[in-house]
Amino acid sequence: MATLRVPVTSLDHIEGSEDALVTLVEYGDFQCPHCAAAHPVVKRLQRHFGAKLRFVFRHFPLTEVHPLAAPAAEAAEFAAAHKRFWEMHDGIFDNQDRLGLPLLFTLAGSLALSAPALEQALAKGQYKAKVEQDFMGGVRSGVNGTPGFFINGRRYDGDYDYADMEDAIEATARNAATAR
């Protein structure tokens, strides 16, 4: 079974406590329809598990098939630089059917971020290195498609439907609680 080769650090985009029993890491692509389908599942899992679950999102844009994934990831990093990563993340997935530069600029504006500054950042590739760093971490961890999930450092190869992921996270939480 593949394991997460790049540990979670403060440089990651994290929702939830460091003390959570379970850490769910997703390598995702903002243009991937499977990632968009998994997005509400992850949100539901977060609500269900509460403080037991920490969620980490890392970029894994499959640019050969999803040409808008990289600029979307860079726009999310632009938002992160202004402490608005999760709002941009959710906005992109919630509006994936309209994904394009106009949507990214609209989302930036709705978050009180400068659309011209985002446009400049995209033109300069200001956040490209961070996105590539995430991608390469995924490659080293054996990610070969999106969404790629890891539960407490072990790749989750099951379906990303709610019931299967809930079962996997619950089992991991029980094991983690026993080990503490």
Side-chain angles (χ1 to χ4, degrees), residues 74-75 78 101 104-105 108 114-126:
E74 291 179 46
F78 171 82
L101 292 178
L104 299 175
F105 299 143
S114 167
L118 172 58
E119 188 173 3
Q120 270 189 332
L122 293 175
K124 291 192 301 190
Q126 187 172 346

Side-chain angles (χ1 to χ4, degrees), residues 94-105:
D94 291 344
N95 297 285
Q96 191 190 57
D97 60 328
R98 298 186 304 125
L99 183 58
L101 292 178
L103 173 68
L104 299 175
F105 299 143

Side-chain angles (χ1 to χ4, degrees), residues 136-155:
M136 291 311 297
V139 169
R140 286 198 308 270
S141 297
V143 175
N144 54 14
T146 56
F149 289 106
F150 291 82
I151 299 175
N152 279 5
R154 292 179 179 241
R155 189 168 73 191

Side-chain angles (χ1 to χ4, degrees), residues 6-131:
V6 180
V8 174
T9 72
S10 62
L11 299 177
D12 282 301
H13 303 293
I14 302 169
E15 284 187 321
S17 170
E18 188 175 336
D19 299 327
L21 289 172
V22 178
T23 298
L24 175 66
V25 175
E26 177 185 0
Y27 281 90
D29 171 322
F30 284 114
Q31 196 176 359
C32 166
H34 303 287
C35 294
H39 176 65
V41 172
V42 170
K43 290 292 186 191
R44 186 173 168 199
L45 291 166
Q46 288 179 288
R47 284 190 303 274
H48 176 77
F49 286 102
K52 290 182 184 174
L53 182 65
R54 175 171 72 155
F55 177 60
V56 177
F57 184 86
R58 291 178 174 168
H59 303 289
F60 201 80
L62 300 172
T63 56
E64 289 186 19
V65 291
H66 300 141
L68 297 170
E74 291 179 46
E77 288 302 319
F78 171 82
H82 298 87
K83 312 276 187 229
R84 307 299 296 266
F85 175 82
W86 291 108
E87 293 96 328
M88 182 67 86
H89 168 274
D90 293 349
I92 294 170
F93 277 131
D94 291 344
N95 297 285
Q96 191 190 57
D97 60 328
R98 298 186 304 125
L99 183 58
L101 292 178
L103 173 68
L104 299 175
F105 299 143
T106 297
L107 289 172
S110 72
L111 298 174
L113 303 175
S114 167
L118 172 58
E119 188 173 3
Q120 270 189 332
L122 293 175
K124 291 192 301 190
Q126 187 172 346
Y127 299 100
K128 188 176 179 181
K130 166 66 169 113
V131 172

